[in-house]
Amino acid sequence: MKFVLATHNPNKIREMGAILGQFGVEVVSPKELGITVDVEETGSTFAENAMLKAKAICELAKLPAIADDSGLCVDALNGGPGGYSARYGGPGLDDTGRWQLLLKNMEGKEDRACRFVCAIACVLADGETVTVRGECEGELLHENHGAGGFGYDPLFYVPECTFGELAPEVKNRISHRARALGRLRDVLKDKI
Ligand code: ITT
């Protein structure tokens, strides 16, 4: 079965495409279907926002859809930036600007515990919906390491290195996204 990936983030498309490809799932991006609508994230949880994106793009594409809503939750910032990870610091910042802002806001804070969280929502051809979640625990470094991955990866330390230093296939085995998609595969295996 073919799924549309309900995201405009090319990094997510790359990672989700690689992980789902290993499961034998064929995917297409909204861009390939000429869909440019950016779904408003009005939910209050990762799961709600993932489902909003999956339902909207499923309807437009007339295809089963898989959406990802994710973010970095830092204990010392009461779980922030969390659902605001992509918008942290406002629209003028890029990935580098956002992790630099995060480092600044973490100055002087000793508790560096954090986790990446990923909610995956899926809408099947018959309208059935599934939501799953994956998390990956780490620590926030005081400086960036590595140029791989995207977003906050250069700061996210999982012993012995950051996500930014991991080969893509290693990140795609252990990440929050990989864990959530692994759960989705378990739920879907008797349905598709
Ligand atoms: P879509 O809504 O179109 O899917 P988005 O990037 O706006 O794209 P989110 O609202 O889910 O998606 O925000 C996710 C943000 O969380 C992402 O932009 C990064 O800043 C951060 N993030 C999520 N997963 C990450 C990962 O694997 N590595 C680094 N940062 C990640």
Side-chain angles (χ1 to χ4, degrees):
M1 191 187 286
K2 196 198 252 180
F3 285 88
V4 58
L5 294 181
T7 173
H8 294 297
N9 182 327
N11 299 295
K12 286 188 186 178
I13 290 180
R14 188 184 66 244
E15 293 187 2
M16 293 167 81
I19 297 164
L20 289 165
Q22 286 168 4
F23 302 161
V25 173
E26 201 191 330
V27 299
V28 62
S29 69
K31 200 172 161 192
E32 288 171 282
L33 300 172
I35 297 171
T36 53
V37 170
D38 202 11
V39 182
E40 221 189 317
E41 298 184 15
T42 52
S44 54
T45 63
F46 290 112
E48 280 173 19
N49 282 328
M51 191 52 78
L52 285 173
K53 293 187 265 192
K55 282 186 173 163
I57 301 299
C58 171
E59 206 166 301
L60 288 169
K62 308 273 179 265
L63 274 180
I66 297 175
D68 164 312
D69 200 68
S70 47
L72 179 65
C73 302
V74 181
D75 286 355
L77 301 177
N78 298 319
Y84 294 97
S85 294
R87 292 166 273 174
Y88 196 45
L93 296 185
D94 59 6
D95 274 0
T96 304
R98 280 187 283 273
W99 66 246
Q100 285 174 340
L101 174 65
L102 180 60
L103 277 188
K104 194 164 179 303
N105 290 339
M106 286 294 289
E107 271 170 20
K109 299 202 191 290
E110 272 173 31
D111 180 4
R112 314 293 290 190
C114 57
R115 67 206 51 76
F116 272 126
V117 176
C118 173
I120 294 285
C122 175
V123 183
L124 297 172
D126 63 2
E128 188 182 345
T129 60
V130 179
T131 313
V132 289
R133 181 181 169 104
E135 297 191 9
C136 185
E137 298 284 334
E139 271 178 47
L140 212 59
L141 288 189
H142 292 268
E143 69 284 301
N144 61 308
H145 284 281
F150 69 101
Y152 301 90
D153 282 347
L155 300 184
F156 188 75
Y157 184 78
V158 282
E160 309 287 326
C161 65
T162 68
F163 264 13
E165 294 173 298
L166 288 180
E169 59 274 19
V170 180
K171 181 182 174 191
N172 287 341
R173 260 203 318 272
I174 67 168
S175 74
H176 48 312
R177 187 160 292 110
R179 286 175 185 168
L181 288 171
R183 290 192 180 120
L184 181 69
R185 177 194 48 185
D186 293 344
V187 176
L188 292 190
K189 69 177 180 295
D190 302 324
K191 300 183 193 281
I192 59 173

